[in-house]
Amino acid sequence: MPSVLITGTSKGIGYETALAFAYAGYNVCATMRNPSKAPALAEFAKHKKLPITVTAMDVDNDESVQAGIAEVEAHHGPVDVLVNNAGIERLGSIEELSIDDFRAVMETNYFGVLRCVKAVVPQMRQRRSGTIINISSVAGTFSHPPATPYCASKWALEALTEGLACEMKSFGVRVALVEPGIIDTAMARRISSGADSVYPHATRIATLFTATLSETPVHPSLVAQKVVEITQANTWQLRHPVGPDAVPIIALRKGLTDEQWIDLHSADEETYRQRMSALTGKDPDPTV
């Protein structure tokens, strides 16, 4: 059985991806920072007799990543598929968030991926085989407040992944990005709750997420199935938007100049609503 290592599997996309690979016939090493605080996956796997081993691994820590991957290789041999899913968010204006907030997001979403990649790439290169899939976001294709720290980390991840793909293709190692839109996860629910700010953008994004999650919620299993599909399809396609709103959101940004994008997000509320309605065909705040 091929082996897959997945980070951030305590809930959401990572949890569903672990199950999807197990049902597809893979030996799954599901890693998370604190397995004792999130026992659901291990309990479900035991009940269903699924080939899932839950392992503690903190992607923010060099030693933890090295030890976690060494444990996988000791039990299952070389990692055939690496899925970098672990991620966090911080929402707020650049003025209101601390440097530590920005640093924490980059540490997990960018450097955490880099640690895991560097730990598996040598053996994949030597074997001339392997797949690395990094979970990015539509936010990796644009930036706007109050998600600026998250967008910055995903921009960095996209650049890292594109460069890695250029390096690894000649060695037969496939590299891909998955770019979900708004998915019904704990992170999305937190964003929909909003936050206090002197800037209007926190309320705007909370309204968008609330409307999407209530009207057309997308289960994280959709992303999980795409990750398995990419692994099994033998495709060299780099970017894979996922979810009904992913391609429209990316297209919306690409359809505007930089100045139009900035004008949209800096407009007063009424102008913002009118412009978004014209661009998307629906009111960004249906409660008004």
Side-chain angles (χ1 to χ4, degrees):
M1 295 171 65
S3 65
V4 55
L5 186 149
I6 309 165
T7 66
T9 59
S10 61
K11 55 186 177 297
I13 292 172
Y15 181 101
E16 296 295 335
T17 302
L19 294 181
F21 270 107
Y23 284 122
Y26 289 74
N27 272 320
V28 178
C29 180
T31 73
M32 59 185 75
R33 187 171 298 173
N34 296 304
S36 62
K37 294 183 178 181
L41 179 59
E43 292 172 354
F44 185 84
K46 181 178 179 180
H47 176 67
K48 295 293 186 178
K49 295 181 172 58
L50 295 174
I52 298 175
T53 302
V54 176
T55 302
M57 191 172 83
D58 181 359
V59 300
D60 290 1
N61 182 278
D62 292 351
E63 290 74 20
S64 181
V65 169
Q66 292 292 339
I69 293 179
E71 182 176 344
V72 175
E73 293 177 340
H75 288 88
H76 302 295
V79 175
D80 296 300
V81 183
L82 170 64
V83 180
N84 286 300
N85 168 74
I88 63 172
E89 98 289 346
R90 295 288 189 275
L91 294 181
S93 70
I94 294 171
E95 174 189 350
E96 294 164 322
L97 290 176
S98 69
I99 293 292
D100 286 343
D101 287 321
F102 279 83
R103 184 176 288 116
V105 175
M106 194 65 72
E107 191 66 61
T108 298
N109 297 3
Y110 176 74
F111 287 108
V113 172
L114 182 58
R115 286 184 183 94
C116 295
V117 165
K118 288 179 71 64
V120 303
V121 155
Q123 57 89 357
M124 286 186 174
R125 174 180 53 78
Q126 291 163 9
R127 292 167 53 228
R128 305 186 71 86
S129 175
T131 301
I132 299 172
I133 300 177
N134 294 334
I135 307 300
S136 180
S137 167
V138 294
T141 66
F142 54 79
S143 184
H144 71 78
T148 308
Y150 185 76
C151 293
S153 71
K154 294 301 184 180
W155 276 36
L157 176 60
E158 297 251 339
L160 172 67
T161 309
E162 188 169 304
L164 181 66
C166 294
E167 293 177 353
M168 301 309 297
K169 186 172 184 179
S170 62
F171 294 99
V173 177
R174 295 186 301 122
V175 178
L177 281 159
V178 171
E179 300 171 330
I182 298 176
I183 307 297
D184 192 358
T185 63
M187 182 185 294
R189 293 288 174 177
R190 286 194 298 272
I191 294 171
S192 69
S193 66
D196 293 332
S197 174
V198 298
Y199 295 86
H201 308 99
T203 299
R204 291 176 182 174
I205 197 171
T207 300
L208 170 63
F209 272 66
T210 298
T212 301
L213 293 174
S214 62
E215 295 170 6
T216 55
V218 178
H219 196 270
S221 60
L222 181 69
V223 182
Q225 291 299 327
K226 172 58 71 171
V227 174
V228 175
E229 176 189 314
I230 293 167
T231 302
Q232 296 181 330
N234 199 32
T235 176
W236 291 93
Q237 179 179 328
L238 178 62
R239 289 180 169 86
H240 302 262
V242 183
D245 62 350
V247 170
I249 290 174
I250 294 171
L252 171 64
R253 174 61 184 96
K254 287 183 176 180
L256 299 176
T257 66
D258 294 341
E259 292 71 28
Q260 289 172 329
W261 181 254
I262 294 168
D263 286 345
L264 171 65
H265 290 286
S266 61
D268 61 71
E269 287 305 303
E270 183 59 30
T271 303
Y272 173 77
R273 287 187 60 211
Q274 291 176 354
R275 290 176 179 172
M276 283 297 291
S277 295
L279 288 167
T280 64
K282 58 184 180 180
D283 194 327
D285 188 354
T287 63
V288 176

